[in-house]
Amino acid sequence: MDLRQFLMCLSLCTALALSKPTEKKDRVHHEPQLSDKVHNDAQSFDYDHDAFLGAEEAKTFDQLTPEESKERLGKIVSKIDGDKDGFVTVDELKDWIKFAQKRWIYEDVERQWKGHDLNEDGLVSWEEYKNATYGYVLDDPDPDDGFNYKQMMIRDERRFKMADKDGDLIATKEEFTAFLHPEEYDYMKDIVVQETMEDIDKNADGFIDLEEYIGWQAYQGGDC
């Protein structure tokens, strides 16, 4: 397909890639906008540019010459073509847009994976994570900040067990991603709600009163 056809296809896939049914349950967690630019293809393809590359990556493209942009785009298209048949399908393009928008999550997981897969077996056990994250607390029976860290460890263990679908306390890369970013997984939504409740409910009475809610909003920098 020529460049204009590709951009029009990209525009269509941008609209479809993260579209979700407007069910009430989906209002709990909204997907971020693909771009903060106006989505009007009659004026420009800037919105689709951000959606296709990710906003940060799109900024680097703005600094390239047309020749450099074309060369780099060619390399990206080869990555999009998952089955390597020489054609980019709508589904492949949709999958790429989703990846581009969540690249920071995958980069965070990769960074943390290296620090927690201590035996380099391609898995992260709860013991590995606990020792890498809380090792000094476990070694010191009475650290100054031990209480807070012990509470955090209990909370992390609960979340780790929720992410660990088969219950063996050993996380695959996908399960570890669910542990680090539970808001991205439907089966982790209950733990997200529970942890949010605990953060807001300062007196731990099981309810959120107006003062607690206002205090939490102020801490988050949001509007009440």
Side-chain angles (χ1 to χ4, degrees):
M1 63 178 70
D2 62 27
L3 181 58
R4 181 163 184 82
Q5 288 176 316
F6 178 77
L7 290 173
M8 290 300 291
C9 183
L10 171 60
S11 177
L12 174 62
C13 290
T14 298
L16 295 176
L18 296 180
S19 62
K20 302 176 71 174
T22 55
E23 296 178 10
K24 190 172 183 180
K25 63 180 181 180
D26 290 325
R27 296 178 184 176
V28 175
H29 174 67
H30 295 282
E31 293 286 357
Q33 289 293 318
L34 298 180
S35 171
D36 58 5
K37 297 182 174 65
V38 176
H39 193 188
N40 187 345
D41 294 334
Q43 295 181 1
S44 75
F45 291 108
D46 288 345
Y47 182 97
D48 306 297
H49 186 59
D50 282 3
F52 179 65
L53 296 170
E56 292 303 316
E57 184 71 12
K59 291 177 183 177
T60 67
F61 263 74
D62 293 338
Q63 311 302 318
L64 302 177
T65 65
E67 292 76 17
E68 290 171 331
S69 295
K70 184 177 180 180
E71 180 181 359
R72 188 176 295 188
L73 182 61
K75 293 178 180 178
I76 291 175
V77 170
S78 69
K79 294 179 181 178
I80 300 172
D81 181 18
D83 57 12
K84 306 303 179 186
D85 65 351
F87 297 93
V88 174
T89 66
V90 171
D91 286 338
E92 286 173 336
L93 197 52
K94 286 165 62 179
D95 288 342
W96 170 261
I97 291 173
K98 290 179 182 179
F99 169 79
Q101 293 300 313
K102 298 183 184 296
R103 182 182 282 123
W104 69 273
I105 292 177
Y106 302 127
E107 291 174 349
D108 178 55
V109 171
E110 287 298 328
R111 178 179 58 81
Q112 297 213 44
W113 185 264
K114 293 176 182 178
H116 292 97
D117 182 14
L118 302 181
N119 63 4
E120 298 183 349
D121 65 346
L123 300 166
V124 173
S125 69
W126 166 246
E127 287 299 315
E128 283 179 312
Y129 181 84
K130 181 176 67 174
N131 290 332
T133 306
Y134 300 104
Y136 85 95
V137 178
L138 299 172
D139 292 338
D140 186 345
D142 191 27
D144 293 337
D145 53 2
F147 177 77
N148 288 336
Y149 277 99
K150 287 177 182 176
Q151 291 295 97
M152 289 169 60
M153 184 169 65
I154 292 171
R155 180 160 155 158
D156 273 354
E157 183 175 12
R158 182 182 64 193
R159 189 199 288 187
F160 194 97
K161 289 179 177 178
M162 177 74 76
D164 176 32
K165 285 188 170 182
D166 57 10
D168 61 358
L169 288 181
I170 299 175
T172 63
K173 182 71 70 69
E174 186 72 12
E175 290 170 336
F176 193 64
T177 303
F179 166 68
L180 294 177
H181 298 280
E183 70 282 355
E184 300 295 330
Y185 291 81
D186 286 339
Y187 80 97
M188 296 292 289
K189 292 295 173 65
D190 286 346
I191 203 73
V192 173
V193 172
Q194 184 175 356
E195 290 180 1
T196 303
M197 282 284 297
E198 291 171 351
D199 290 339
I200 304 174
D201 181 20
K202 296 303 183 183
N203 62 8
D205 66 350
F207 298 92
I208 296 175
D209 59 35
L210 182 60
E211 184 177 349
E212 288 172 330
Y213 178 73
I214 292 174
W216 177 72
Q217 283 283 3
Y219 178 77
Q220 296 291 319
D223 297 324
C224 298

